[in-house]
Structures are given as structure tokens and as C-alpha cells.
PDB file of all heavy atoms in Angstrom:
ATOM      1  N   LEU A 889       0.835  -1.205   0.000  1.00 93.00           N
ATOM      2  CA  LEU A 889       0.000   0.000   0.000  1.00 93.00           C
ATOM      3  C   LEU A 889       0.867   1.252   0.000  1.00 93.00           C
ATOM      4  O   LEU A 889       0.585   2.218  -0.725  1.00 93.00           O
ATOM      5  CB  LEU A 889      -0.935  -0.011   1.211  1.00 93.00           C
ATOM      6  CG  LEU A 889      -1.905   1.165   1.338  1.00 93.00           C
ATOM      7  CD1 LEU A 889      -2.796   1.273   0.112  1.00 93.00           C
ATOM      8  CD2 LEU A 889      -2.745   1.033   2.608  1.00 93.00           C
ATOM      9  N   SER A 890       1.933   1.253   0.796  1.00 92.00           N
ATOM     10  CA  SER A 890       2.827   2.413   0.840  1.00 92.00           C
ATOM     11  C   SER A 890       3.534   2.624  -0.489  1.00 92.00           C
ATOM     12  O   SER A 890       3.589   3.748  -0.995  1.00 92.00           O
ATOM     13  CB  SER A 890       3.860   2.241   1.958  1.00 92.00           C
ATOM     14  OG  SER A 890       3.261   2.321   3.224  1.00 92.00           O
ATOM     15  N   VAL A 891       4.084   1.548  -1.060  1.00 92.00           N
ATOM     16  CA  VAL A 891       4.877   1.734  -2.283  1.00 92.00           C
ATOM     17  C   VAL A 891       3.995   2.081  -3.468  1.00 92.00           C
ATOM     18  O   VAL A 891       4.438   2.785  -4.391  1.00 92.00           O
ATOM     19  CB  VAL A 891       5.754   0.500  -2.584  1.00 92.00           C
ATOM     20  CG1 VAL A 891       6.779   0.292  -1.492  1.00 92.00           C
ATOM     21  CG2 VAL A 891       4.930  -0.750  -2.809  1.00 92.00           C
ATOM     22  N   VAL A 892       2.742   1.612  -3.477  1.00 93.00           N
ATOM     23  CA  VAL A 892       1.814   2.041  -4.532  1.00 93.00           C
ATOM     24  C   VAL A 892       1.627   3.550  -4.469  1.00 93.00           C
ATOM     25  O   VAL A 892       1.703   4.259  -5.492  1.00 93.00           O
ATOM     26  CB  VAL A 892       0.460   1.316  -4.381  1.00 93.00           C
ATOM     27  CG1 VAL A 892      -0.625   2.023  -5.195  1.00 93.00           C
ATOM     28  CG2 VAL A 892       0.574  -0.126  -4.832  1.00 93.00           C
ATOM     29  N   MET A 893       1.401   4.069  -3.270  1.00 94.00           N
ATOM     30  CA  MET A 893       1.210   5.506  -3.106  1.00 94.00           C
ATOM     31  C   MET A 893       2.493   6.273  -3.400  1.00 94.00           C
ATOM     32  O   MET A 893       2.458   7.329  -4.063  1.00 94.00           O
ATOM     33  CB  MET A 893       0.731   5.803  -1.688  1.00 94.00           C
ATOM     34  CG  MET A 893      -0.635   5.246  -1.348  1.00 94.00           C
ATOM     35  SD  MET A 893      -1.978   5.916  -2.345  1.00 94.00           S
ATOM     36  CE  MET A 893      -1.953   7.631  -1.859  1.00 94.00           C
ATOM     37  N   VAL A 894       3.633   5.775  -2.923  1.00 94.00           N
ATOM     38  CA  VAL A 894       4.902   6.472  -3.154  1.00 94.00           C
ATOM     39  C   VAL A 894       5.213   6.540  -4.645  1.00 94.00           C
ATOM     40  O   VAL A 894       5.593   7.595  -5.174  1.00 94.00           O
ATOM     41  CB  VAL A 894       6.045   5.781  -2.388  1.00 94.00           C
ATOM     42  CG1 VAL A 894       7.405   6.317  -2.854  1.00 94.00           C
ATOM     43  CG2 VAL A 894       5.894   5.994  -0.891  1.00 94.00           C
ATOM     44  N   ALA A 895       5.066   5.420  -5.334  1.00 93.00           N
ATOM     45  CA  ALA A 895       5.355   5.403  -6.773  1.00 93.00           C
ATOM     46  C   ALA A 895       4.428   6.345  -7.533  1.00 93.00           C
ATOM     47  O   ALA A 895       4.864   7.115  -8.404  1.00 93.00           O
ATOM     48  CB  ALA A 895       5.216   3.982  -7.306  1.00 93.00           C
ATOM     49  N   MET A 896       3.137   6.308  -7.202  1.00 94.00           N
ATOM     50  CA  MET A 896       2.171   7.161  -7.889  1.00 94.00           C
ATOM     51  C   MET A 896       2.424   8.638  -7.597  1.00 94.00           C
ATOM     52  O   MET A 896       2.464   9.472  -8.509  1.00 94.00           O
ATOM     53  CB  MET A 896       0.755   6.762  -7.482  1.00 94.00           C
ATOM     54  CG  MET A 896      -0.354   7.551  -8.157  1.00 94.00           C
ATOM     55  SD  MET A 896      -0.819   9.021  -7.205  1.00 94.00           S
ATOM     56  CE  MET A 896      -1.611   8.290  -5.788  1.00 94.00           C
ATOM     57  N   VAL A 897       2.621   8.978  -6.323  1.00 94.00           N
ATOM     58  CA  VAL A 897       2.795  10.380  -5.940  1.00 94.00           C
ATOM     59  C   VAL A 897       4.065  10.955  -6.566  1.00 94.00           C
ATOM     60  O   VAL A 897       4.045  12.064  -7.128  1.00 94.00           O
ATOM     61  CB  VAL A 897       2.843  10.515  -4.399  1.00 94.00           C
ATOM     62  CG1 VAL A 897       3.300  11.914  -3.998  1.00 94.00           C
ATOM     63  CG2 VAL A 897       1.475  10.228  -3.809  1.00 94.00           C
ATOM     64  N   THR A 898       5.171  10.237  -6.488  1.00 94.00           N
ATOM     65  CA  THR A 898       6.430  10.769  -7.033  1.00 94.00           C
ATOM     66  C   THR A 898       6.382  10.877  -8.553  1.00 94.00           C
ATOM     67  O   THR A 898       6.901  11.846  -9.125  1.00 94.00           O
ATOM     68  CB  THR A 898       7.614   9.898  -6.601  1.00 94.00           C
ATOM     69  OG1 THR A 898       7.363   8.524  -6.942  1.00 94.00           O
ATOM     70  CG2 THR A 898       7.844   9.997  -5.107  1.00 94.00           C
ATOM     71  N   PHE A 899       5.762   9.905  -9.209  1.00 95.00           N
ATOM     72  CA  PHE A 899       5.696   9.938 -10.673  1.00 95.00           C
ATOM     73  C   PHE A 899       4.834  11.103 -11.152  1.00 95.00           C
ATOM     74  O   PHE A 899       5.253  11.894 -12.016  1.00 95.00           O
ATOM     75  CB  PHE A 899       5.130   8.614 -11.194  1.00 95.00           C
ATOM     76  CG  PHE A 899       5.142   8.498 -12.696  1.00 95.00           C
ATOM     77  CD1 PHE A 899       6.310   8.174 -13.368  1.00 95.00           C
ATOM     78  CD2 PHE A 899       3.991   8.716 -13.436  1.00 95.00           C
ATOM     79  CE1 PHE A 899       6.324   8.074 -14.758  1.00 95.00           C
ATOM     80  CE2 PHE A 899       3.991   8.617 -14.809  1.00 95.00           C
ATOM     81  CZ  PHE A 899       5.159   8.296 -15.478  1.00 95.00           C
ATOM     82  N   ILE A 900       3.631  11.228 -10.592  1.00 95.00           N
ATOM     83  CA  ILE A 900       2.734  12.318 -10.990  1.00 95.00           C
ATOM     84  C   ILE A 900       3.355  13.666 -10.636  1.00 95.00           C
ATOM     85  O   ILE A 900       3.316  14.625 -11.427  1.00 95.00           O
ATOM     86  CB  ILE A 900       1.360  12.166 -10.317  1.00 95.00           C
ATOM     87  CG1 ILE A 900       0.683  10.861 -10.740  1.00 95.00           C
ATOM     88  CG2 ILE A 900       0.473  13.366 -10.636  1.00 95.00           C
ATOM     89  CD1 ILE A 900       0.298  10.775 -12.177  1.00 95.00           C
ATOM     90  N   SER A 901       3.944  13.765  -9.451  1.00 94.00           N
ATOM     91  CA  SER A 901       4.532  15.034  -9.019  1.00 94.00           C
ATOM     92  C   SER A 901       5.703  15.437  -9.907  1.00 94.00           C
ATOM     93  O   SER A 901       5.896  16.623 -10.183  1.00 94.00           O
ATOM     94  CB  SER A 901       4.979  14.931  -7.562  1.00 94.00           C
ATOM     95  OG  SER A 901       5.458  16.166  -7.091  1.00 94.00           O
ATOM     96  N   THR A 902       6.487  14.468 -10.356  1.00 95.00           N
ATOM     97  CA  THR A 902       7.600  14.784 -11.268  1.00 95.00           C
ATOM     98  C   THR A 902       7.087  15.412 -12.559  1.00 95.00           C
ATOM     99  O   THR A 902       7.629  16.416 -13.042  1.00 95.00           O
ATOM    100  CB  THR A 902       8.396  13.514 -11.590  1.00 95.00           C
ATOM    101  OG1 THR A 902       8.946  12.980 -10.386  1.00 95.00           O
ATOM    102  CG2 THR A 902       9.534  13.810 -12.560  1.00 95.00           C
ATOM    103  N   LEU A 903       6.038  14.837 -13.113  1.00 95.00           N
ATOM    104  CA  LEU A 903       5.466  15.389 -14.344  1.00 95.00           C
ATOM    105  C   LEU A 903       4.890  16.778 -14.118  1.00 95.00           C
ATOM    106  O   LEU A 903       5.015  17.666 -14.972  1.00 95.00           O
ATOM    107  CB  LEU A 903       4.384  14.445 -14.875  1.00 95.00           C
ATOM    108  CG  LEU A 903       4.867  13.057 -15.321  1.00 95.00           C
ATOM    109  CD1 LEU A 903       3.687  12.189 -15.729  1.00 95.00           C
ATOM    110  CD2 LEU A 903       5.861  13.172 -16.472  1.00 95.00           C
ATOM    111  N   ILE A 904       4.287  16.991 -12.957  1.00 95.00           N
ATOM    112  CA  ILE A 904       3.731  18.310 -12.648  1.00 95.00           C
ATOM    113  C   ILE A 904       4.851  19.327 -12.455  1.00 95.00           C
ATOM    114  O   ILE A 904       4.736  20.490 -12.881  1.00 95.00           O
ATOM    115  CB  ILE A 904       2.817  18.225 -11.407  1.00 95.00           C
ATOM    116  CG1 ILE A 904       1.562  17.411 -11.752  1.00 95.00           C
ATOM    117  CG2 ILE A 904       2.423  19.615 -10.915  1.00 95.00           C
ATOM    118  CD1 ILE A 904       0.671  17.114 -10.568  1.00 95.00           C
ATOM    119  N   HIS A 905       5.946  18.918 -11.819  1.00 94.00           N
ATOM    120  CA  HIS A 905       7.104  19.803 -11.682  1.00 94.00           C
ATOM    121  C   HIS A 905       7.646  20.204 -13.064  1.00 94.00           C
ATOM    122  O   HIS A 905       7.945  21.380 -13.308  1.00 94.00           O
ATOM    123  CB  HIS A 905       8.216  19.111 -10.893  1.00 94.00           C
ATOM    124  CG  HIS A 905       8.087  19.248  -9.406  1.00 94.00           C
ATOM    125  ND1 HIS A 905       7.103  18.612  -8.683  1.00 94.00           N
ATOM    126  CD2 HIS A 905       8.826  19.955  -8.501  1.00 94.00           C
ATOM    127  CE1 HIS A 905       7.237  18.918  -7.405  1.00 94.00           C
ATOM    128  NE2 HIS A 905       8.260  19.726  -7.265  1.00 94.00           N
ATOM    129  N   LEU A 906       7.777  19.214 -13.946  1.00 94.00           N
ATOM    130  CA  LEU A 906       8.285  19.503 -15.290  1.00 94.00           C
ATOM    131  C   LEU A 906       7.339  20.437 -16.034  1.00 94.00           C
ATOM    132  O   LEU A 906       7.780  21.410 -16.670  1.00 94.00           O
ATOM    133  CB  LEU A 906       8.452  18.186 -16.063  1.00 94.00           C
ATOM    134  CG  LEU A 906       9.004  18.293 -17.488  1.00 94.00           C
ATOM    135  CD1 LEU A 906      10.402  18.906 -17.491  1.00 94.00           C
ATOM    136  CD2 LEU A 906       9.024  16.917 -18.155  1.00 94.00           C
ATOM    137  N   TYR A 907       6.051  20.179 -15.960  1.00 94.00           N
ATOM    138  CA  TYR A 907       5.041  21.030 -16.588  1.00 94.00           C
ATOM    139  C   TYR A 907       5.127  22.452 -16.043  1.00 94.00           C
ATOM    140  O   TYR A 907       4.988  23.437 -16.795  1.00 94.00           O
ATOM    141  CB  TYR A 907       3.672  20.419 -16.319  1.00 94.00           C
ATOM    142  CG  TYR A 907       2.477  21.178 -16.829  1.00 94.00           C
ATOM    143  CD1 TYR A 907       1.903  20.860 -18.057  1.00 94.00           C
ATOM    144  CD2 TYR A 907       1.883  22.182 -16.072  1.00 94.00           C
ATOM    145  CE1 TYR A 907       0.780  21.537 -18.518  1.00 94.00           C
ATOM    146  CE2 TYR A 907       0.763  22.858 -16.525  1.00 94.00           C
ATOM    147  CZ  TYR A 907       0.214  22.533 -17.747  1.00 94.00           C
ATOM    148  OH  TYR A 907      -0.897  23.203 -18.202  1.00 94.00           O
ATOM    149  N   SER A 908       5.389  22.578 -14.744  1.00 92.00           N
ATOM    150  CA  SER A 908       5.411  23.893 -14.101  1.00 92.00           C
ATOM    151  C   SER A 908       6.554  24.766 -14.598  1.00 92.00           C
ATOM    152  O   SER A 908       6.475  25.997 -14.516  1.00 92.00           O
ATOM    153  CB  SER A 908       5.507  23.731 -12.581  1.00 92.00           C
ATOM    154  OG  SER A 908       4.402  23.020 -12.083  1.00 92.00           O
ATOM    155  N   VAL A 909       7.635  24.141 -15.088  1.00 91.00           N
ATOM    156  CA  VAL A 909       8.749  24.923 -15.628  1.00 91.00           C
ATOM    157  C   VAL A 909       8.254  25.822 -16.753  1.00 91.00           C
ATOM    158  O   VAL A 909       8.645  26.993 -16.861  1.00 91.00           O
ATOM    159  CB  VAL A 909       9.879  23.997 -16.121  1.00 91.00           C
ATOM    160  CG1 VAL A 909      10.958  24.790 -16.856  1.00 91.00           C
ATOM    161  CG2 VAL A 909      10.499  23.234 -14.948  1.00 91.00           C
ATOM    162  N   GLY A 910       7.372  25.276 -17.592  1.00 89.00           N
ATOM    163  CA  GLY A 910       6.805  26.089 -18.664  1.00 89.00           C
ATOM    164  C   GLY A 910       5.664  26.964 -18.201  1.00 89.00           C
ATOM    165  O   GLY A 910       5.582  28.142 -18.560  1.00 89.00           O
ATOM    166  N   TYR A 911       4.792  26.404 -17.382  1.00 89.00           N
ATOM    167  CA  TYR A 911       3.585  27.133 -16.978  1.00 89.00           C
ATOM    168  C   TYR A 911       3.906  28.351 -16.123  1.00 89.00           C
ATOM    169  O   TYR A 911       3.258  29.392 -16.233  1.00 89.00           O
ATOM    170  CB  TYR A 911       2.651  26.190 -16.215  1.00 89.00           C
ATOM    171  CG  TYR A 911       1.266  26.749 -16.005  1.00 89.00           C
ATOM    172  CD1 TYR A 911       0.288  26.591 -16.984  1.00 89.00           C
ATOM    173  CD2 TYR A 911       0.924  27.429 -14.842  1.00 89.00           C
ATOM    174  CE1 TYR A 911      -0.993  27.096 -16.805  1.00 89.00           C
ATOM    175  CE2 TYR A 911      -0.350  27.943 -14.653  1.00 89.00           C
ATOM    176  CZ  TYR A 911      -1.300  27.779 -15.639  1.00 89.00           C
ATOM    177  OH  TYR A 911      -2.561  28.290 -15.468  1.00 89.00           O
ATOM    178  N   MET A 912       4.921  28.235 -15.263  1.00 88.00           N
ATOM    179  CA  MET A 912       5.265  29.322 -14.337  1.00 88.00           C
ATOM    180  C   MET A 912       6.453  30.143 -14.840  1.00 88.00           C
ATOM    181  O   MET A 912       7.080  30.862 -14.061  1.00 88.00           O
ATOM    182  CB  MET A 912       5.588  28.750 -12.957  1.00 88.00           C
ATOM    183  CG  MET A 912       4.478  27.928 -12.337  1.00 88.00           C
ATOM    184  SD  MET A 912       2.983  28.876 -11.989  1.00 88.00           S
ATOM    185  CE  MET A 912       3.544  29.895 -10.620  1.00 88.00           C
ATOM    186  N   SER A 913       6.749  30.048 -16.126  1.00 83.00           N
ATOM    187  CA  SER A 913       7.945  30.703 -16.663  1.00 83.00           C
ATOM    188  C   SER A 913       7.889  32.225 -16.547  1.00 83.00           C
ATOM    189  O   SER A 913       8.934  32.878 -16.482  1.00 83.00           O
ATOM    190  CB  SER A 913       8.151  30.303 -18.130  1.00 83.00           C
ATOM    191  OG  SER A 913       7.023  30.681 -18.914  1.00 83.00           O
ATOM    192  N   HIS A 914       6.697  32.802 -16.510  1.00 84.00           N
ATOM    193  CA  HIS A 914       6.574  34.254 -16.422  1.00 84.00           C
ATOM    194  C   HIS A 914       6.236  34.732 -15.011  1.00 84.00           C
ATOM    195  O   HIS A 914       5.949  35.921 -14.814  1.00 84.00           O
ATOM    196  CB  HIS A 914       5.502  34.746 -17.400  1.00 84.00           C
ATOM    197  CG  HIS A 914       5.799  34.407 -18.829  1.00 84.00           C
ATOM    198  ND1 HIS A 914       6.888  34.912 -19.497  1.00 84.00           N
ATOM    199  CD2 HIS A 914       5.148  33.596 -19.709  1.00 84.00           C
ATOM    200  CE1 HIS A 914       6.897  34.442 -20.743  1.00 84.00           C
ATOM    201  NE2 HIS A 914       5.850  33.632 -20.896  1.00 84.00           N
ATOM    202  N   ASP A 915       6.271  33.808 -14.059  1.00 84.00           N
ATOM    203  CA  ASP A 915       5.947  34.184 -12.687  1.00 84.00           C
ATOM    204  C   ASP A 915       7.125  34.912 -12.054  1.00 84.00           C
ATOM    205  O   ASP A 915       8.291  34.669 -12.400  1.00 84.00           O
ATOM    206  CB  ASP A 915       5.599  32.937 -11.869  1.00 84.00           C
ATOM    207  CG  ASP A 915       5.019  33.281 -10.518  1.00 84.00           C
ATOM    208  OD1 ASP A 915       3.855  33.710 -10.463  1.00 84.00           O
ATOM    209  OD2 ASP A 915       5.748  33.140  -9.522  1.00 84.00           O
ATOM    210  N   ALA A 916       6.815  35.766 -11.085  1.00 83.00           N
ATOM    211  CA  ALA A 916       7.861  36.589 -10.474  1.00 83.00           C
ATOM    212  C   ALA A 916       8.728  35.806  -9.499  1.00 83.00           C
ATOM    213  O   ALA A 916       9.905  36.124  -9.319  1.00 83.00           O
ATOM    214  CB  ALA A 916       7.222  37.787  -9.757  1.00 83.00           C
ATOM    215  N   THR A 917       8.159  34.789  -8.828  1.00 86.00           N
ATOM    216  CA  THR A 917       8.913  34.055  -7.802  1.00 86.00           C
ATOM    217  C   THR A 917       8.777  32.540  -8.011  1.00 86.00           C
ATOM    218  O   THR A 917       8.233  31.834  -7.149  1.00 86.00           O
ATOM    219  CB  THR A 917       8.417  34.428  -6.397  1.00 86.00           C
ATOM    220  OG1 THR A 917       7.003  34.166  -6.318  1.00 86.00           O
ATOM    221  CG2 THR A 917       8.685  35.890  -6.096  1.00 86.00           C
ATOM    222  N   PRO A 918       9.291  32.012  -9.110  1.00 88.00           N
ATOM    223  CA  PRO A 918       9.112  30.575  -9.373  1.00 88.00           C
ATOM    224  C   PRO A 918       9.831  29.676  -8.373  1.00 88.00           C
ATOM    225  O   PRO A 918       9.370  28.561  -8.112  1.00 88.00           O
ATOM    226  CB  PRO A 918       9.679  30.399 -10.785  1.00 88.00           C
ATOM    227  CG  PRO A 918      10.624  31.540 -10.957  1.00 88.00           C
ATOM    228  CD  PRO A 918      10.038  32.671 -10.192  1.00 88.00           C
ATOM    229  N   THR A 919      10.960  30.134  -7.809  1.00 90.00           N
ATOM    230  CA  THR A 919      11.676  29.270  -6.863  1.00 90.00           C
ATOM    231  C   THR A 919      10.833  29.020  -5.612  1.00 90.00           C
ATOM    232  O   THR A 919      10.861  27.923  -5.049  1.00 90.00           O
ATOM    233  CB  THR A 919      13.024  29.893  -6.472  1.00 90.00           C
ATOM    234  OG1 THR A 919      12.806  31.228  -5.977  1.00 90.00           O
ATOM    235  CG2 THR A 919      13.949  29.965  -7.663  1.00 90.00           C
ATOM    236  N   ARG A 920      10.088  30.020  -5.175  1.00 91.00           N
ATOM    237  CA  ARG A 920       9.198  29.830  -4.027  1.00 91.00           C
ATOM    238  C   ARG A 920       8.121  28.809  -4.358  1.00 91.00           C
ATOM    239  O   ARG A 920       7.787  27.944  -3.539  1.00 91.00           O
ATOM    240  CB  ARG A 920       8.574  31.175  -3.630  1.00 91.00           C
ATOM    241  CG  ARG A 920       7.594  31.104  -2.476  1.00 91.00           C
ATOM    242  CD  ARG A 920       7.257  32.500  -1.961  1.00 91.00           C
ATOM    243  NE  ARG A 920       6.605  33.314  -2.954  1.00 91.00           N
ATOM    244  CZ  ARG A 920       5.272  33.386  -3.106  1.00 91.00           C
ATOM    245  NH1 ARG A 920       4.487  32.667  -2.319  1.00 91.00           N
ATOM    246  NH2 ARG A 920       4.742  34.161  -4.022  1.00 91.00           N
ATOM    247  N   PHE A 921       7.595  28.899  -5.574  1.00 92.00           N
ATOM    248  CA  PHE A 921       6.562  27.957  -5.993  1.00 92.00           C
ATOM    249  C   PHE A 921       7.089  26.528  -5.999  1.00 92.00           C
ATOM    250  O   PHE A 921       6.445  25.609  -5.480  1.00 92.00           O
ATOM    251  CB  PHE A 921       6.057  28.337  -7.390  1.00 92.00           C
ATOM    252  CG  PHE A 921       5.050  27.375  -7.950  1.00 92.00           C
ATOM    253  CD1 PHE A 921       3.726  27.438  -7.550  1.00 92.00           C
ATOM    254  CD2 PHE A 921       5.420  26.408  -8.866  1.00 92.00           C
ATOM    255  CE1 PHE A 921       2.784  26.547  -8.055  1.00 92.00           C
ATOM    256  CE2 PHE A 921       4.495  25.512  -9.375  1.00 92.00           C
ATOM    257  CZ  PHE A 921       3.177  25.593  -8.969  1.00 92.00           C
ATOM    258  N   PHE A 922       8.273  26.320  -6.565  1.00 92.00           N
ATOM    259  CA  PHE A 922       8.836  24.975  -6.642  1.00 92.00           C
ATOM    260  C   PHE A 922       9.208  24.451  -5.255  1.00 92.00           C
ATOM    261  O   PHE A 922       9.087  23.250  -4.989  1.00 92.00           O
ATOM    262  CB  PHE A 922      10.045  24.961  -7.571  1.00 92.00           C
ATOM    263  CG  PHE A 922       9.685  24.861  -9.024  1.00 92.00           C
ATOM    264  CD1 PHE A 922       9.326  25.991  -9.753  1.00 92.00           C
ATOM    265  CD2 PHE A 922       9.673  23.641  -9.670  1.00 92.00           C
ATOM    266  CE1 PHE A 922       8.973  25.906 -11.085  1.00 92.00           C
ATOM    267  CE2 PHE A 922       9.318  23.534 -11.004  1.00 92.00           C
ATOM    268  CZ  PHE A 922       8.965  24.669 -11.720  1.00 92.00           C
ATOM    269  N   ALA A 923       9.640  25.322  -4.374  1.00 92.00           N
ATOM    270  CA  ALA A 923       9.944  24.897  -3.001  1.00 92.00           C
ATOM    271  C   ALA A 923       8.671  24.403  -2.314  1.00 92.00           C
ATOM    272  O   ALA A 923       8.674  23.358  -1.648  1.00 92.00           O
ATOM    273  CB  ALA A 923      10.565  26.052  -2.218  1.00 92.00           C
TER     274      ALA A 923
END
């Protein structure tokens, strides 16, 4: 149960982080957002 959640959360979150590089490219404080 733990590893199913860990694998899913990290995989989805990685894709969202990558997507955010483009989506938040014009934001004033992107490092705060990524933190």
C-alpha cells in the first residue's frame, strides 16, 4: 500500500514539476513555488 502511493505520488509530481517549468515561466517568484 505504501509503495503504490509512493510510486504514484512521485511519478505524478515529477510530471507536474516539469510542466510547471513552462507554466510558471513568467511568474515573479518561481523558486518559491517549486519549493
Side-chain angles (χ1 to χ4, degrees):
L889 182 58
S890 291
V891 296
V892 164
M893 295 298 296
V894 168
M896 182 269 290
V897 169
T898 53
F899 185 79
I900 298 294
S901 184
T902 299
L903 296 176
I904 292 173
H905 274 70
L906 181 61
Y907 177 96
S908 299
V909 172
Y911 192 86
M912 302 296 289
S913 60
H914 300 296
D915 190 74
T917 57
T919 54
R920 178 168 63 91
F921 176 80
F922 278 83

